[in-house]
Amino acid sequence: MHGHGGYDSDFSDDEHCGESSKRKKRTTEDDLLLQKPFQKEKHGKVAHKQVAEELLDREEARNRRFHLIAMDAYQRHAKFVNDYILYYGGKKEDFRRLG
């Protein structure tokens, strides 16, 4: 005998498939109801490249600001002069004070 209670039915397998889809739907609805408003979504995917770049740029800017604030005025000036020479070219002698 194939079905429930001694009755044979061709649709007995379909009943169980319908229940599992309802059960899946119910669990996703329950997950949404049980989620706290401040709780972030779970990310199973890799972040978009642009988002990752923006995050990295923000972190680098924060580190750069921290290091610049930690320097005194002379160290900051020397760093900016060296950065200028590296970027635009030239010699350090061009920045010497004329006595």
Side-chain angles (χ1 to χ4, degrees):
M1 299 214 160
H2 189 275
H4 298 288
Y7 296 105
D8 190 24
S9 174
D10 293 336
F11 302 106
S12 63
D13 293 334
D14 292 340
E15 291 173 3
H16 297 296
C17 292
E19 288 176 13
S20 66
S21 65
K22 287 179 186 177
R23 201 174 299 141
K24 284 182 186 177
K25 185 177 179 184
R26 194 175 321 133
T27 57
T28 56
E29 289 174 358
D30 290 343
D31 289 344
L32 290 174
L33 290 174
L34 295 174
Q35 186 178 15
K36 297 175 180 79
F38 56 85
Q39 185 177 12
K40 293 183 179 180
E41 293 183 28
K42 296 177 184 175
H43 297 290
K45 298 179 181 178
V46 177
H48 193 271
K49 185 177 180 182
Q50 186 177 5
V51 174
E53 286 177 357
E54 289 175 1
L55 185 64
L56 183 64
D57 288 344
R58 205 174 320 143
E59 187 69 27
E60 284 182 18
R62 186 179 300 135
N63 288 339
R64 194 175 308 120
R65 262 190 312 257
F66 174 77
H67 289 294
L68 285 175
I69 291 171
M71 293 179 185
D72 64 357
Y74 178 76
Q75 289 173 334
R76 220 175 7 255
H77 172 74
K79 181 196 178 324
F80 287 145
V81 168
N82 288 332
D83 289 348
Y84 181 89
I85 291 171
L86 282 173
Y87 187 77
Y88 292 108
K91 301 175 190 169
K92 242 183 179 177
E93 290 80 32
D94 296 340
F95 289 94
R96 299 258 186 246
R97 290 175 67 178
L98 299 174

